[in-house]
Amino acid sequence: MLIDFTKIPAREAYAWMSGTILPRPIAWVSTLSQDGRANLAPFSFFQGVTSNPPVLMFVPVNNRDGRKKDTLRNIEQVNEFVVNLVSFALAEAMNNSAATLPYGESEFEKFGIARAPSERVRPPRVAAAPVAFECALHSIVPIGEGALAANVVFGRILLAHVREDVVGADGRPDPGKLDLVGRLGGELYARTTERFSLSRP
């Protein structure tokens, strides 16, 4: 079977990409608007980029009408954000926060998600997140135009909040204790509780 990405519509391309690039970690991104209203939204096009300097990226895809996501609008106004990681215990709250709300209405309040103050940036973090990365905006790279086009957001990691109970005996995060969820295709998710190891050659 061959899928010619040069000949299929954007929505079909998205379905094939999101159904095959698996599993995808979830960036649960908290931001603030210029007038101080908090926003919280999940993004599964997310990854670390480099450790020198420490940078991560996530990708807010435009709405189906071509408008920018509220998260991106906020980052353009306040050049800071927090990437909260999503444990299985937080999966339902994360999914709820994907709902489309009027701009300025906070998912924290709407869905009863507890927040905590950050140390180096203005946006709050998810209090129960196993890990939360406080980031300063490095750059935004627009790709495409209109519906399902995107802006790749690169953030310089300034500080990480790591819950003590997810750290193993070696002082490093334990994947089982983190119990993170990853996005699969459609409405499916995976967990980091099942894993295997391979020795590097």
Side-chain angles (χ1 to χ4, degrees), residues 49-58 79-83 120-121 133-139 153-160:
V49 177
T50 178
S51 59
N52 185 22
V55 171
L56 55 75
M57 56 80 71
F58 74 97
N79 297 161
E80 299 170 342
F81 56 93
V82 181
V83 172
R120 305 266 183 91
V121 300
F133 296 105
E134 296 188 17
C135 299
L137 177 65
H138 177 279
S139 55
V153 178
F154 294 92
R156 173 78 180 263
I157 301 171
L158 304 178
L159 186 74

Side-chain angles (χ1 to χ4, degrees), residues 171-192:
R172 301 287 184 185
D174 182 315
K177 292 181 177 181
L178 283 168
D179 194 12
L180 300 180
V181 296
R183 191 74 189 273
L184 301 178
E187 296 183 347
L188 294 173
Y189 291 83
R191 295 171 71 176
T192 57

Side-chain angles (χ1 to χ4, degrees), residues 115-134:
R115 61 183 182 178
S118 297
E119 299 283 334
R120 305 266 183 91
V121 300
R122 285 164 282 180
R125 57 191 173 90
V126 174
V131 179
F133 296 105
E134 296 188 17

Side-chain angles (χ1 to χ4, degrees), residues 69-82:
K69 292 280 178 67
D70 295 348
T71 296
L72 181 63
R73 293 172 63 185
N74 286 352
I75 291 172
E76 289 175 335
Q77 295 172 26
V78 176
N79 297 161
E80 299 170 342
F81 56 93
V82 181

Side-chain angles (χ1 to χ4, degrees), residues 1-197:
M1 184 177 193
L2 295 176
I3 310 298
D4 189 342
F5 276 76
T6 66
K7 295 181 179 177
I8 60 176
R11 287 186 67 177
E12 193 173 341
Y14 180 86
W16 278 102
M17 292 173 68
S18 63
T20 54
I21 302 171
L22 309 173
R24 298 187 308 280
I26 300 169
W28 203 11
V29 182
S30 45
T31 58
L32 278 183
S33 63
Q34 204 161 29
D35 58 1
R37 293 177 289 182
N39 180 269
L40 181 63
F43 300 90
S44 67
F45 286 177
F46 159 53
Q47 196 52 261
V49 177
T50 178
S51 59
N52 185 22
V55 171
L56 55 75
M57 56 80 71
F58 74 97
V59 186
V61 175
N62 289 347
N63 292 317
R64 290 180 180 173
D65 61 4
R67 290 181 300 113
K68 295 177 182 178
K69 292 280 178 67
D70 295 348
T71 296
L72 181 63
R73 293 172 63 185
N74 286 352
I75 291 172
E76 289 175 335
Q77 295 172 26
V78 176
N79 297 161
E80 299 170 342
F81 56 93
V82 181
V83 172
N84 305 275
L85 300 189
V86 182
S87 63
F88 180 70
L90 293 171
E92 187 173 344
M94 174 276 298
N95 189 54
N96 288 340
S97 73
T100 302
L101 301 181
Y103 182 65
E105 185 174 351
S106 174
E107 290 77 6
F108 284 102
E109 278 70 46
K110 175 75 173 178
F111 302 111
I113 301 167
R115 61 183 182 178
S118 297
E119 299 283 334
R120 305 266 183 91
V121 300
R122 285 164 282 180
R125 57 191 173 90
V126 174
V131 179
F133 296 105
E134 296 188 17
C135 299
L137 177 65
H138 177 279
S139 55
I140 299 173
V141 178
I143 298 178
E145 295 179 356
L148 297 181
N151 288 271
V152 184
V153 178
F154 294 92
R156 173 78 180 263
I157 301 171
L158 304 178
L159 186 74
H161 299 261
V162 181
R163 279 199 345 238
E164 296 289 341
D165 63 319
V166 301
V167 177
D170 62 356
R172 301 287 184 185
D174 182 315
K177 292 181 177 181
L178 283 168
D179 194 12
L180 300 180
V181 296
R183 191 74 189 273
L184 301 178
E187 296 183 347
L188 294 173
Y189 291 83
R191 295 171 71 176
T192 57
T193 49
E194 293 186 22
R195 54 199 183 275
F196 62 93
S197 62

